[in-house]
Amino acid sequence: MDSNTFTSLFITLRDRLRTISWRYLENDDDVDDALQDMFIRLWKHSEKYKDESQATGAMVTSIKNISIDHIRANNAHPHADISEADSVLTQDDNSTGETIKEIDSIIESTLTPQQQKILYQRDRDGWEYEDIAKYHNLSETNIRVILSRARKKVRDIYNKQYETH
């Protein structure tokens, strides 16, 4: 399927896809982001779809998965209201800042440069596993293993150094 046909199919299905995504996200901005993300991901590979039914199935499946991923990302990194964040920061500003410095120190002193880079790319900068894997010329599975081991190492050292019993 050529990209023009794919684009016109997307335009035809946009309202249906929006409804599917809305059921998960319940926010117009998030739904728009999910639709855009889905279109870009699938448009890059539009030539592999043989007919409209195959492309339609890919779009529906993709919008569901992207919407679910968005929910998971928000649950992993919830967004607080700015007014709530100000009150929390003023209460715990010193202890939070110290904790972050302690964790950064552990990361810099115990992890390899590759582990540090991958950890920062994923957790601080929000990169996707696929992008990190391409950057480091590794598989996504390797990236997940490296991240898991790095996080465990940091957690174990932090818990040993700063145990409060």
Side-chain angles (χ1 to χ4, degrees), residues 64-86:
K64 286 179 185 176
N65 292 338
I66 289 170
S67 297
I68 290 169
D69 288 347
H70 187 79
I71 291 168
R72 287 180 181 153
N74 281 342
N75 288 341
H77 307 288
H79 303 290
D81 184 14
I82 291 177
S83 60
E84 294 173 15
D86 285 341

PDB file of all heavy atoms in Angstrom, residues 64-86:
ATOM      1  N   LYS A  64      -4.608   0.929  20.298  1.00  0.00           N
ATOM      2  CA  LYS A  64      -4.876   0.324  21.613  1.00  0.00           C
ATOM      3  C   LYS A  64      -3.585   0.199  22.405  1.00  0.00           C
ATOM      4  O   LYS A  64      -3.511   0.584  23.575  1.00  0.00           O
ATOM      5  CB  LYS A  64      -5.510  -1.063  21.459  1.00  0.00           C
ATOM      6  CG  LYS A  64      -6.944  -1.061  21.035  1.00  0.00           C
ATOM      7  CD  LYS A  64      -7.451  -2.493  20.905  1.00  0.00           C
ATOM      8  CE  LYS A  64      -8.847  -2.550  20.377  1.00  0.00           C
ATOM      9  NZ  LYS A  64      -9.299  -3.943  20.174  1.00  0.00           N
ATOM     10  N   ASN A  65      -2.562  -0.361  21.769  1.00  0.00           N
ATOM     11  CA  ASN A  65      -1.285  -0.571  22.458  1.00  0.00           C
ATOM     12  C   ASN A  65      -0.620   0.738  22.874  1.00  0.00           C
ATOM     13  O   ASN A  65      -0.083   0.849  23.983  1.00  0.00           O
ATOM     14  CB  ASN A  65      -0.342  -1.393  21.585  1.00  0.00           C
ATOM     15  CG  ASN A  65      -0.811  -2.819  21.420  1.00  0.00           C
ATOM     16  OD1 ASN A  65      -1.572  -3.341  22.218  1.00  0.00           O
ATOM     17  ND2 ASN A  65      -0.362  -3.469  20.353  1.00  0.00           N
ATOM     18  N   ILE A  66      -0.660   1.725  22.009  1.00  0.00           N
ATOM     19  CA  ILE A  66      -0.060   3.021  22.336  1.00  0.00           C
ATOM     20  C   ILE A  66      -0.814   3.680  23.483  1.00  0.00           C
ATOM     21  O   ILE A  66      -0.209   4.263  24.387  1.00  0.00           O
ATOM     22  CB  ILE A  66      -0.009   3.927  21.089  1.00  0.00           C
ATOM     23  CG1 ILE A  66       1.031   3.390  20.107  1.00  0.00           C
ATOM     24  CG2 ILE A  66       0.280   5.370  21.463  1.00  0.00           C
ATOM     25  CD1 ILE A  66       1.015   4.043  18.740  1.00  0.00           C
ATOM     26  N   SER A  67      -2.137   3.562  23.486  1.00  0.00           N
ATOM     27  CA  SER A  67      -2.937   4.135  24.575  1.00  0.00           C
ATOM     28  C   SER A  67      -2.622   3.451  25.897  1.00  0.00           C
ATOM     29  O   SER A  67      -2.458   4.103  26.928  1.00  0.00           O
ATOM     30  CB  SER A  67      -4.428   4.013  24.254  1.00  0.00           C
ATOM     31  OG  SER A  67      -4.744   4.749  23.096  1.00  0.00           O
ATOM     32  N   ILE A  68      -2.510   2.144  25.870  1.00  0.00           N
ATOM     33  CA  ILE A  68      -2.166   1.393  27.083  1.00  0.00           C
ATOM     34  C   ILE A  68      -0.758   1.762  27.548  1.00  0.00           C
ATOM     35  O   ILE A  68      -0.521   1.954  28.744  1.00  0.00           O
ATOM     36  CB  ILE A  68      -2.305  -0.122  26.841  1.00  0.00           C
ATOM     37  CG1 ILE A  68      -3.779  -0.486  26.685  1.00  0.00           C
ATOM     38  CG2 ILE A  68      -1.672  -0.923  27.984  1.00  0.00           C
ATOM     39  CD1 ILE A  68      -4.030  -1.898  26.175  1.00  0.00           C
ATOM     40  N   ASP A  69       0.184   1.877  26.615  1.00  0.00           N
ATOM     41  CA  ASP A  69       1.548   2.289  26.971  1.00  0.00           C
ATOM     42  C   ASP A  69       1.547   3.669  27.621  1.00  0.00           C
ATOM     43  O   ASP A  69       2.310   3.923  28.563  1.00  0.00           O
ATOM     44  CB  ASP A  69       2.455   2.311  25.741  1.00  0.00           C
ATOM     45  CG  ASP A  69       2.800   0.922  25.235  1.00  0.00           C
ATOM     46  OD1 ASP A  69       2.557  -0.061  25.972  1.00  0.00           O
ATOM     47  OD2 ASP A  69       3.308   0.825  24.101  1.00  0.00           O
ATOM     48  N   HIS A  70       0.705   4.556  27.121  1.00  0.00           N
ATOM     49  CA  HIS A  70       0.615   5.908  27.684  1.00  0.00           C
ATOM     50  C   HIS A  70       0.113   5.855  29.130  1.00  0.00           C
ATOM     51  O   HIS A  70       0.640   6.548  30.001  1.00  0.00           O
ATOM     52  CB  HIS A  70      -0.303   6.775  26.824  1.00  0.00           C
ATOM     53  CG  HIS A  70      -0.313   8.206  27.228  1.00  0.00           C
ATOM     54  ND1 HIS A  70       0.688   9.076  26.872  1.00  0.00           N
ATOM     55  CD2 HIS A  70      -1.179   8.918  27.976  1.00  0.00           C
ATOM     56  CE1 HIS A  70       0.429  10.267  27.382  1.00  0.00           C
ATOM     57  NE2 HIS A  70      -0.702  10.192  28.053  1.00  0.00           N
ATOM     58  N   ILE A  71      -0.878   5.014  29.374  1.00  0.00           N
ATOM     59  CA  ILE A  71      -1.389   4.847  30.737  1.00  0.00           C
ATOM     60  C   ILE A  71      -0.294   4.301  31.645  1.00  0.00           C
ATOM     61  O   ILE A  71      -0.091   4.782  32.765  1.00  0.00           O
ATOM     62  CB  ILE A  71      -2.612   3.906  30.749  1.00  0.00           C
ATOM     63  CG1 ILE A  71      -3.794   4.573  30.062  1.00  0.00           C
ATOM     64  CG2 ILE A  71      -2.979   3.500  32.170  1.00  0.00           C
ATOM     65  CD1 ILE A  71      -4.950   3.633  29.779  1.00  0.00           C
ATOM     66  N   ARG A  72       0.420   3.298  31.168  1.00  0.00           N
ATOM     67  CA  ARG A  72       1.510   2.709  31.965  1.00  0.00           C
ATOM     68  C   ARG A  72       2.586   3.746  32.266  1.00  0.00           C
ATOM     69  O   ARG A  72       3.108   3.801  33.374  1.00  0.00           O
ATOM     70  CB  ARG A  72       2.118   1.522  31.235  1.00  0.00           C
ATOM     71  CG  ARG A  72       1.240   0.305  31.234  1.00  0.00           C
ATOM     72  CD  ARG A  72       1.897  -0.838  30.500  1.00  0.00           C
ATOM     73  NE  ARG A  72       1.030  -1.994  30.494  1.00  0.00           N
ATOM     74  CZ  ARG A  72       1.051  -2.936  29.572  1.00  0.00           C
ATOM     75  NH1 ARG A  72       1.909  -2.859  28.561  1.00  0.00           N
ATOM     76  NH2 ARG A  72       0.233  -3.958  29.641  1.00  0.00           N
ATOM     77  N   ALA A  73       2.932   4.544  31.275  1.00  0.00           N
ATOM     78  CA  ALA A  73       3.953   5.573  31.485  1.00  0.00           C
ATOM     79  C   ALA A  73       3.484   6.591  32.519  1.00  0.00           C
ATOM     80  O   ALA A  73       4.264   7.026  33.366  1.00  0.00           O
ATOM     81  CB  ALA A  73       4.280   6.271  30.166  1.00  0.00           C
ATOM     82  N   ASN A  74       2.225   6.977  32.467  1.00  0.00           N
ATOM     83  CA  ASN A  74       1.703   7.930  33.446  1.00  0.00           C
ATOM     84  C   ASN A  74       1.643   7.322  34.836  1.00  0.00           C
ATOM     85  O   ASN A  74       1.848   8.019  35.826  1.00  0.00           O
ATOM     86  CB  ASN A  74       0.330   8.440  33.038  1.00  0.00           C
ATOM     87  CG  ASN A  74       0.417   9.504  31.969  1.00  0.00           C
ATOM     88  OD1 ASN A  74       1.462  10.093  31.752  1.00  0.00           O
ATOM     89  ND2 ASN A  74      -0.677   9.739  31.285  1.00  0.00           N
ATOM     90  N   ASN A  75       1.353   6.033  34.925  1.00  0.00           N
ATOM     91  CA  ASN A  75       1.325   5.377  36.230  1.00  0.00           C
ATOM     92  C   ASN A  75       2.731   5.226  36.795  1.00  0.00           C
ATOM     93  O   ASN A  75       2.926   5.318  38.001  1.00  0.00           O
ATOM     94  CB  ASN A  75       0.643   4.009  36.144  1.00  0.00           C
ATOM     95  CG  ASN A  75      -0.851   4.126  35.953  1.00  0.00           C
ATOM     96  OD1 ASN A  75      -1.435   5.166  36.221  1.00  0.00           O
ATOM     97  ND2 ASN A  75      -1.470   3.060  35.484  1.00  0.00           N
ATOM     98  N   ALA A  76       3.700   5.013  35.929  1.00  0.00           N
ATOM     99  CA  ALA A  76       5.080   4.886  36.384  1.00  0.00           C
ATOM    100  C   ALA A  76       5.651   6.238  36.796  1.00  0.00           C
ATOM    101  O   ALA A  76       6.441   6.338  37.723  1.00  0.00           O
ATOM    102  CB  ALA A  76       5.948   4.281  35.284  1.00  0.00           C
ATOM    103  N   HIS A  77       5.238   7.284  36.103  1.00  0.00           N
ATOM    104  CA  HIS A  77       5.700   8.650  36.376  1.00  0.00           C
ATOM    105  C   HIS A  77       4.485   9.557  36.460  1.00  0.00           C
ATOM    106  O   HIS A  77       4.220  10.336  35.544  1.00  0.00           O
ATOM    107  CB  HIS A  77       6.636   9.151  35.281  1.00  0.00           C
ATOM    108  CG  HIS A  77       7.777   8.244  34.995  1.00  0.00           C
ATOM    109  ND1 HIS A  77       8.830   8.099  35.853  1.00  0.00           N
ATOM    110  CD2 HIS A  77       8.023   7.396  33.963  1.00  0.00           C
ATOM    111  CE1 HIS A  77       9.683   7.225  35.357  1.00  0.00           C
ATOM    112  NE2 HIS A  77       9.210   6.777  34.213  1.00  0.00           N
ATOM    113  N   PRO A  78       3.714   9.467  37.536  1.00  0.00           N
ATOM    114  CA  PRO A  78       2.482  10.259  37.617  1.00  0.00           C
ATOM    115  C   PRO A  78       2.772  11.761  37.626  1.00  0.00           C
ATOM    116  O   PRO A  78       3.800  12.207  38.128  1.00  0.00           O
ATOM    117  CB  PRO A  78       1.850   9.820  38.935  1.00  0.00           C
ATOM    118  CG  PRO A  78       2.923   9.156  39.702  1.00  0.00           C
ATOM    119  CD  PRO A  78       3.950   8.685  38.725  1.00  0.00           C
ATOM    120  N   HIS A  79       1.853  12.494  37.039  1.00  0.00           N
ATOM    121  CA  HIS A  79       1.973  13.945  36.983  1.00  0.00           C
ATOM    122  C   HIS A  79       1.150  14.544  38.113  1.00  0.00           C
ATOM    123  O   HIS A  79      -0.011  14.226  38.280  1.00  0.00           O
ATOM    124  CB  HIS A  79       1.464  14.477  35.645  1.00  0.00           C
ATOM    125  CG  HIS A  79       2.168  13.886  34.469  1.00  0.00           C
ATOM    126  ND1 HIS A  79       3.472  14.175  34.164  1.00  0.00           N
ATOM    127  CD2 HIS A  79       1.762  12.985  33.544  1.00  0.00           C
ATOM    128  CE1 HIS A  79       3.828  13.502  33.104  1.00  0.00           C
ATOM    129  NE2 HIS A  79       2.810  12.760  32.701  1.00  0.00           N
ATOM    130  N   ALA A  80       1.753  15.411  38.881  1.00  0.00           N
ATOM    131  CA  ALA A  80       1.043  16.062  39.977  1.00  0.00           C
ATOM    132  C   ALA A  80       0.627  17.459  39.541  1.00  0.00           C
ATOM    133  O   ALA A  80       1.223  18.070  38.663  1.00  0.00           O
ATOM    134  CB  ALA A  80       1.938  16.151  41.200  1.00  0.00           C
ATOM    135  N   ASP A  81      -0.389  17.951  40.178  1.00  0.00           N
ATOM    136  CA  ASP A  81      -0.818  19.320  39.952  1.00  0.00           C
ATOM    137  C   ASP A  81       0.302  20.233  40.455  1.00  0.00           C
ATOM    138  O   ASP A  81       0.905  19.987  41.506  1.00  0.00           O
ATOM    139  CB  ASP A  81      -2.114  19.572  40.721  1.00  0.00           C
ATOM    140  CG  ASP A  81      -2.678  20.951  40.460  1.00  0.00           C
ATOM    141  OD1 ASP A  81      -2.233  21.609  39.501  1.00  0.00           O
ATOM    142  OD2 ASP A  81      -3.577  21.356  41.221  1.00  0.00           O
ATOM    143  N   ILE A  82       0.594  21.299  39.738  1.00  0.00           N
ATOM    144  CA  ILE A  82       1.703  22.184  40.097  1.00  0.00           C
ATOM    145  C   ILE A  82       1.508  22.776  41.483  1.00  0.00           C
ATOM    146  O   ILE A  82       2.456  22.888  42.258  1.00  0.00           O
ATOM    147  CB  ILE A  82       1.880  23.293  39.041  1.00  0.00           C
ATOM    148  CG1 ILE A  82       2.385  22.666  37.752  1.00  0.00           C
ATOM    149  CG2 ILE A  82       2.808  24.383  39.527  1.00  0.00           C
ATOM    150  CD1 ILE A  82       2.546  23.620  36.608  1.00  0.00           C
ATOM    151  N   SER A  83       0.290  23.134  41.847  1.00  0.00           N
ATOM    152  CA  SER A  83       0.066  23.709  43.170  1.00  0.00           C
ATOM    153  C   SER A  83       0.358  22.682  44.258  1.00  0.00           C
ATOM    154  O   SER A  83       0.893  23.018  45.315  1.00  0.00           O
ATOM    155  CB  SER A  83      -1.370  24.221  43.296  1.00  0.00           C
ATOM    156  OG  SER A  83      -2.288  23.159  43.101  1.00  0.00           O
ATOM    157  N   GLU A  84       0.030  21.410  44.005  1.00  0.00           N
ATOM    158  CA  GLU A  84       0.358  20.362  44.969  1.00  0.00           C
ATOM    159  C   GLU A  84       1.863  20.145  45.035  1.00  0.00           C
ATOM    160  O   GLU A  84       2.424  19.920  46.099  1.00  0.00           O
ATOM    161  CB  GLU A  84      -0.327  19.050  44.585  1.00  0.00           C
ATOM    162  CG  GLU A  84      -1.824  19.069  44.670  1.00  0.00           C
ATOM    163  CD  GLU A  84      -2.447  17.797  44.117  1.00  0.00           C
ATOM    164  OE1 GLU A  84      -1.717  16.798  43.939  1.00  0.00           O
ATOM    165  OE2 GLU A  84      -3.652  17.806  43.863  1.00  0.00           O
ATOM    166  N   ALA A  85       2.517  20.203  43.885  1.00  0.00           N
ATOM    167  CA  ALA A  85       3.954  19.969  43.837  1.00  0.00           C
ATOM    168  C   ALA A  85       4.707  21.033  44.632  1.00  0.00           C
ATOM    169  O   ALA A  85       5.681  20.729  45.313  1.00  0.00           O
ATOM    170  CB  ALA A  85       4.444  19.960  42.388  1.00  0.00           C
ATOM    171  N   ASP A  86       4.260  22.284  44.557  1.00  0.00           N
ATOM    172  CA  ASP A  86       4.923  23.344  45.306  1.00  0.00           C
ATOM    173  C   ASP A  86       4.891  23.075  46.805  1.00  0.00           C
ATOM    174  O   ASP A  86       5.895  23.237  47.497  1.00  0.00           O
ATOM    175  CB  ASP A  86       4.277  24.700  45.021  1.00  0.00           C
ATOM    176  CG  ASP A  86       4.657  25.238  43.655  1.00  0.00           C
ATOM    177  OD1 ASP A  86       5.666  24.763  43.095  1.00  0.00           O
ATOM    178  OD2 ASP A  86       3.948  26.132  43.164  1.00  0.00           O
TER     179      ASP A  86
END
